[in-house]
Amino acid sequence: MHPTDPSSAVRSLLDEDARTWLDGAAAAVAADAAAIRRLFPAVRSHCGRSRLDAHWSVDEAARAVLLTALPLRGAALAGEVGPLYRFGDPAEQRAVLRTLPLLDLDALALPLVREALRGNDTTLIEAALGPYADRHLPDPEFRQAVLKCVFCEIPLDRVHGLTGRADRELARMLADFAHERLAAGRPVPTDVRPVLHAFPDVLTPRLQLVFEALEEEA
């Protein structure tokens, strides 16, 4: 799911009072970047928390409006966004992670992505693995993140760019994981199959039989 800029969609969904508040908050942030420190946590109480679309909730999208209003770039922008993530609640952290592709940060926000990936909040892990991580996360870390998704039962179709970044080493890691599951008498997640089938030399006869059986059941 690619997070396009949600500013128009969220404004069209908000009622007049909420839209007026958000427009005023964005103008305040554009005039003084420090204003976001008090306005960012207040978004949910003014704009609500319903779903906007498959990618954004309303509060995430409204927070994205404030983040993209910041009159900063590069290190200065990273210095303002970092504390919003580190001192925010999970909803605020998700908003920061989902908005990273829309900000002029280059690779400066990778520490936030890495922090999310070290944790066990599956909503943060999923939010971290969007287009920003696809562009900037080094291959070894990307592979480990995909493996963590499998461990945490996060569907792999939520990992942005997986098809383009999957390589033989990732396939080998997933094959090893699949064998561990089989040895423990546990089912193999079906969504690892596309990566494994893209590199058939990592498929052992046993795994091939398991996947053939799953395909017959389907």
Side-chain angles (χ1 to χ4, degrees):
M1 294 179 288
H2 189 92
T4 56
D5 189 334
S7 57
S8 296
V10 71
R11 283 187 170 97
S12 68
L13 186 70
L14 294 175
D15 63 31
E16 184 175 354
D17 288 344
R19 187 165 54 251
T20 298
W21 181 87
L22 182 58
D23 287 343
V29 168
D32 176 12
I36 200 170
R37 301 170 196 173
R38 63 179 173 80
L39 294 168
F40 200 71
V43 165
R44 182 168 277 189
S45 63
H46 288 277
C47 299
R49 63 179 71 186
S50 61
R51 294 304 309 174
L52 178 63
D53 57 30
H55 184 83
W56 298 96
S57 65
V58 167
D59 57 306
E60 290 167 355
R63 288 185 170 116
V65 171
L66 299 189
L67 288 168
T68 55
L70 283 165
L72 306 171
R73 60 184 301 176
L77 180 56
E80 196 64 54
V81 171
L84 294 177
Y85 179 85
R86 294 194 173 96
F87 298 111
D89 64 22
E92 293 164 33
Q93 292 176 328
R94 284 192 298 274
V96 169
L97 293 169
R98 293 194 192 284
T99 308
L100 291 181
L102 307 177
L103 303 177
D104 187 0
L105 285 165
D106 196 32
L108 292 169
L110 272 179
L112 306 184
V113 172
R114 290 172 174 139
E115 189 172 329
L117 294 176
R118 285 195 297 270
N120 294 312
D121 185 328
T122 57
T123 67
L124 294 182
I125 294 169
E126 180 183 337
L129 290 173
Y132 183 84
D134 179 24
R135 284 202 300 269
H136 298 293
L137 199 63
D139 287 340
E141 294 177 73
F142 186 83
R143 295 186 197 108
Q144 288 295 331
V146 172
L147 196 61
K148 183 159 188 174
C149 286
V150 178
F151 274 109
C152 294
E153 300 183 349
I154 298 171
L156 292 186
D157 63 1
R158 298 178 188 174
V159 178
H160 187 89
L162 177 59
T163 300
R165 293 198 60 178
D167 57 13
R168 188 185 183 282
E169 179 61 15
L170 176 58
R172 184 197 62 76
M173 293 166 66
L174 292 176
D176 288 347
F177 170 79
H179 279 292
E180 291 173 7
R181 296 277 292 211
L182 290 173
R186 301 180 64 191
V188 176
T190 59
D191 58 358
V192 304
R193 284 187 289 173
V195 176
L196 295 180
H197 284 152
F199 301 90
D201 61 306
V202 307
L203 277 173
T204 63
R206 186 182 184 192
L207 276 181
Q208 188 65 50
L209 287 173
V210 168
F211 290 144
E212 288 174 0
L214 290 172
E215 289 168 2
E216 288 176 4
E217 291 175 6

